[in-house]
Amino acid sequence: MKSLQLIYGLFVILLFSQCAKQSSPMGGPRDEDPPVQLEANPADQSLNIKPSEIIITFDEYIKLDNPNKNIIITPRLNKDEIITTALKDRVIIELNQELEDNTTYVFNFQNSIQDLSEGNPAENLKLVFSTGDFIDSLKVKGKINNYWPNQQYDARNVIIGLYLENDTTDLFTAAPYYLTRADSLGEFQIENIKEGSYKAYAWLDANNSTKAEFKSEPYDFLKDTLEINKNLEGIQFNLSQSDLTDFRLTRSSFTNGSYDFILNKNQVEENIQVQGLGEEIYYSTEDKRIRLFSTQSISDSLLVNLKLIDSVSNQIDTTIWAKFPETERRPEKLSLTANSGKNFTDTLFASLKFNKPVLNIRTDSLFIPVDSTTTIQIKEQMFSFKDSLKRTELLFRIPIPDTLGIEIFTLTAMDSTFRDIQGEYNEDPIRANYRKIKKETLADLLSGTVAGAEPPFIIQLIDAKNEVYKEQLVKNSKDFIFRGIEAGTYKIRVIEDKNGNGRWDPSNFYQERLAERVFYFLDDTGAIGAIILKSGWTNEGIIIQASKSTGILE
């Protein structure tokens, strides 16, 4: 009897515990209706209040989806102090901080509140109240653009932030005073702004920190202060990435036959001055490292003037005494790579890259085999070093007669063809294949003009692999022409090379310099256009409209 009573008691406890547990109902039709707000405390549009907590009641049980990210609160509050919980049909937000006087607060819940059963988000849920006598009503609207769309990201993770003009923080150091997120089309709107002067920024908040990471997250900024005394529209941001890390020489030393300069990031320009450069002294550049080589050991130290520039125009300008002592260590092996797999018509363009400066080349073991008895011997006039101070990249220009009945040509360098500055030879032969194609298989011409920007431009044809197929620098014209193009599908990219240095320059926030504009040929829908070229085709009259510059559009 006691056993039956014990079993019955356990059954009752289990039954009541299941009834009390918040869970999705079983069975029945699928719930497709979003939760509907029944009541809010404080009520929307309330005045002269400073609540310590916010309670919103719905018509069904609800749950929260990442409230720390998805609930946007303006002006800025310390989110670390806020506690947000879902309890049955209510959301409770404990603020745990003092609110500012005469300030309009906006809680935009986006998709953070969902019904418990199917995850349908509450629609257009926003709570606005003021600690003063009126609700601020100014707003700004605009759009974001991505200069490098191959580096894809969700526009909904982009924050647009306003900071008070006298605020000592910025997008890299603290969350903004007002913020919003862009929608899937890149459009944004910040509402209920207090009249005043603000600094405006946009950035990809990939790690959900509500501030930008200057090394890894694309960003943009308005150079001029926004005077918000009326509604503003047409604000344009163009996001791109730039590494603003300080540029440093971390160490320098003699290592295994070379004097090495180790950097914390790569340079885009280098100017090296040292006695004997290009005669007894040569150098190579690698990832975050510059290596000086000498043809012989030197008993005295050599004075080296090193001037380096990184991608955001930070500079290193230093003088170092370099040493080249005798060493018994075995030098590292000479290695090389070729740009094999390229197509050509009548002239074979090839390149070989070496890990160290090359001093001697045996042309008798450098050739292209045609058949078992015939070769094309590569002569000295057919190649040259790209940079005579480095001697680490060899460029070939080899004329190929049409009378040869083969399609694949193999640039061949036997072992011991190349001798580097440390006396090492290539130990293995290298064979790089290139395919000869007929001129009649090429598209004849692709031409057009750039509108809405001034030269110089870097015009790039981008192939189906998203690689630069051809590139030209247009200095004094808005027109461009490409000839002899392999059949295929291409995009056209334009870099507005304002300083004429032949490369794209990213922004530098600390120098108040915006990134150079990057834009594309667009189709009728506004998407990046695909240009299909076939043999013998001519495509003329293409107009590439420049994208909108960062700022407030008129």
Side-chain angles (χ1 to χ4, degrees):
M1 187 68 177
K2 289 184 179 179
S3 298
L4 290 176
Q5 290 176 340
L6 179 60
I7 293 173
Y8 177 75
L10 290 173
F11 173 75
V12 171
I13 293 172
L14 179 61
L15 178 63
F16 276 97
S17 67
Q18 290 296 319
C19 292
K21 182 179 179 182
Q22 185 172 324
S23 61
S24 302
M26 301 296 290
R30 181 183 178 89
D31 180 10
E32 297 182 354
D33 296 325
V36 176
Q37 175 187 320
L38 299 179
E39 183 182 7
N41 185 18
D44 187 43
Q45 306 295 314
S46 295
L47 302 177
N48 297 307
I49 58 168
K50 283 190 176 182
S52 60
E53 71 174 11
I54 295 169
I55 302 175
I56 304 176
T57 305
F58 295 88
D59 65 343
E60 59 181 313
Y61 282 11
I62 49 88
K63 63 182 178 181
L64 293 170
D65 178 27
N66 196 358
N68 192 50
K69 174 183 177 180
N70 292 330
I71 301 178
I72 296 178
I73 305 172
T74 59
R76 176 173 60 204
L77 289 177
N78 186 353
K79 279 197 170 185
D80 292 338
E81 301 296 327
I82 297 175
I83 300 174
T84 305
T85 55
L87 181 62
K88 296 184 178 180
D89 60 349
R90 293 186 300 166
V91 170
I92 303 171
I93 304 174
E94 301 173 61
L95 299 178
N96 297 316
Q97 57 200 287
E98 186 71 18
L99 302 183
E100 296 181 26
D101 295 331
N102 300 313
T103 300
T104 298
Y105 284 91
V106 180
F107 288 71
N108 189 336
F109 293 92
Q110 301 190 100
N111 294 326
S112 62
I113 300 176
Q114 304 172 355
D115 65 30
L116 186 62
S117 58
E118 298 295 342
N120 300 309
E123 297 176 346
N124 304 315
L125 184 60
K126 186 168 70 171
L127 176 64
V128 181
F129 63 86
S130 175
T131 60
D133 296 331
F134 60 89
I135 300 289
D136 294 313
S137 59
L138 295 175
K139 61 184 178 182
V140 297
K141 297 174 64 176
K143 191 168 186 178
I144 63 163
N145 173 49
N146 180 5
Y147 274 157
W148 301 98
N150 58 307
Q151 302 171 359
Q152 293 183 359
Y153 49 80
D154 191 337
R156 292 172 295 182
N157 289 327
V158 173
I159 283 180
I160 298 86
L162 300 179
Y163 292 73
L164 297 171
E165 182 184 30
N166 59 0
D167 195 338
T168 58
T169 64
D170 56 46
L171 73 163
F172 299 119
T173 56
Y177 191 70
Y178 290 105
L179 70 86
T180 191
R181 292 183 185 270
D183 62 20
S184 60
L185 299 177
E187 297 177 350
F188 67 86
Q189 178 171 290
I190 305 178
E191 298 178 313
N192 300 103
I193 304 171
K194 183 187 299 186
E195 180 177 340
S197 301
Y198 298 90
K199 296 172 288 185
Y201 312 100
W203 66 93
L204 174 66
D205 188 29
N207 61 0
N208 194 30
S209 66
T210 64
K211 59 183 180 180
E213 304 296 332
F214 60 72
K215 190 174 181 179
S216 59
E217 294 178 340
Y219 72 94
D220 196 18
F221 60 95
L222 300 190
K223 295 173 66 174
D224 298 326
T225 299
L226 279 182
E227 300 295 340
I228 302 180
N229 49 31
K230 61 180 181 180
N231 293 338
L232 297 178
E233 297 187 9
I235 295 177
Q236 178 71 42
F237 289 103
N238 296 292
L239 273 63
S240 61
Q241 196 163 315
S242 62
D243 185 354
L244 298 177
T245 308
D246 290 339
F247 194 26
R248 302 187 310 276
L249 174 64
T250 60
R251 64 182 177 88
S252 62
S253 63
F254 181 80
T255 307
N256 196 21
S258 65
Y259 195 89
D260 296 356
F261 302 95
I262 310 301
L263 310 168
N264 68 320
K265 59 178 176 176
N266 289 320
Q267 78 283 358
V268 295
E269 290 183 21
E270 71 267 352
N271 184 345
I272 300 173
Q273 297 179 357
V274 60
Q275 183 180 351
L277 186 63
E279 297 173 353
E280 296 88 17
I281 304 291
Y282 298 91
Y283 75 97
S284 69
T285 55
E286 302 175 5
D287 183 33
K288 301 179 186 177
R289 182 166 69 162
I290 297 174
R291 305 175 69 190
L292 280 184
F293 295 87
S294 175
T295 57
Q296 57 189 354
S297 61
I298 302 174
S299 57
D300 296 326
S301 298
L302 286 180
L303 184 64
V304 180
N305 292 313
L306 195 65
K307 296 182 180 179
L308 309 174
I309 300 176
D310 72 2
S311 62
V312 293
S313 300
N314 295 326
Q315 297 187 23
I316 293 174
D317 189 348
T318 187
T319 300
I320 292 176
W321 291 94
K323 298 180 179 181
F324 296 91
E326 292 187 7
T327 178
E328 295 182 356
R329 291 184 61 184
R330 171 75 184 271
E332 66 177 299
K333 294 180 180 181
L334 176 63
S335 63
L336 62 157
T337 57
N339 67 334
S340 57
K342 304 293 184 181
N343 297 336
F344 70 97
T345 52
D346 52 5
T347 302
L348 193 160
F349 294 94
S351 74
L352 296 178
K353 293 183 178 180
F354 304 88
N355 63 325
K356 293 185 288 181
V358 168
L359 294 189
N360 303 108
I361 302 172
R362 288 179 49 196
T363 56
D364 60 343
S365 60
L366 191 58
F367 58 91
I368 296 175
V370 177
D371 54 36
S372 59
T373 60
T374 308
T375 62
I376 299 174
Q377 201 65 41
I378 299 176
K379 302 176 182 179
E380 288 188 8
Q381 59 266 31
M382 297 180 183
F383 59 82
S384 62
F385 284 103
K386 183 177 181 179
D387 188 331
S388 60
L389 300 181
K390 294 182 180 180
R391 297 177 70 92
T392 55
E393 184 172 2
L394 199 58
L395 304 179
F396 294 85
R397 184 186 179 96
I398 308 168
I400 303 294
D402 292 333
T403 55
L404 299 177
I406 59 174
E407 181 181 348
I408 303 300
F409 290 77
T410 303
L411 175 63
T412 303
M414 302 305 293
D415 61 279
S416 301
T417 298
F418 305 104
R419 179 179 178 273
D420 70 26
I421 194 169
Q422 294 179 308
E424 294 293 301
Y425 292 90
N426 61 299
E427 295 183 354
D428 300 311
I430 185 168
R431 295 176 176 87
N433 294 327
Y434 302 86
R435 185 166 66 98
K436 190 176 191 296
I437 58 177
K438 296 179 180 180
K439 286 186 177 180
E440 53 265 30
T441 65
L442 303 178
D444 291 338
L445 181 144
L446 174 66
S447 67
T449 188
V450 178
E454 297 297 324
F457 302 123
I458 302 170
I459 316 288
Q460 297 175 328
L461 271 185
I462 310 299
D463 64 19
K465 297 179 181 179
N466 213 33
E467 296 176 350
V468 177
Y469 168 72
K470 283 192 175 185
E471 177 181 281
Q472 61 181 244
L473 179 61
V474 181
K475 294 184 177 181
N476 301 308
S477 173
K478 294 187 176 183
D479 300 326
F480 62 90
I481 298 177
F482 290 99
R483 301 182 187 275
I485 307 164
E486 291 182 46
T489 302
Y490 297 90
K491 296 178 289 188
I492 305 178
R493 180 165 62 207
V494 179
I495 297 173
E496 188 180 27
D497 187 25
K498 282 194 170 184
N499 58 11
N501 63 3
R503 65 172 183 268
W504 176 71
D505 290 303
S507 65
N508 189 319
F509 173 75
Y510 299 117
Q511 296 178 7
E512 295 189 342
R513 189 186 70 241
L514 297 176
E516 291 179 324
R517 272 195 295 180
V518 182
F519 44 92
Y520 300 78
F521 168 69
L522 305 179
D523 62 22
D524 293 338
T525 68
I528 296 176
I531 298 176
I532 300 174
L533 296 176
K534 295 185 178 181
S535 303
W537 279 23
T538 295
N539 195 331
E540 300 178 276
I542 289 177
I543 298 177
I544 304 176
Q545 181 65 47
S547 63
K548 297 172 182 178
S549 300
T550 295
I552 304 177
L553 306 181
E554 299 296 335

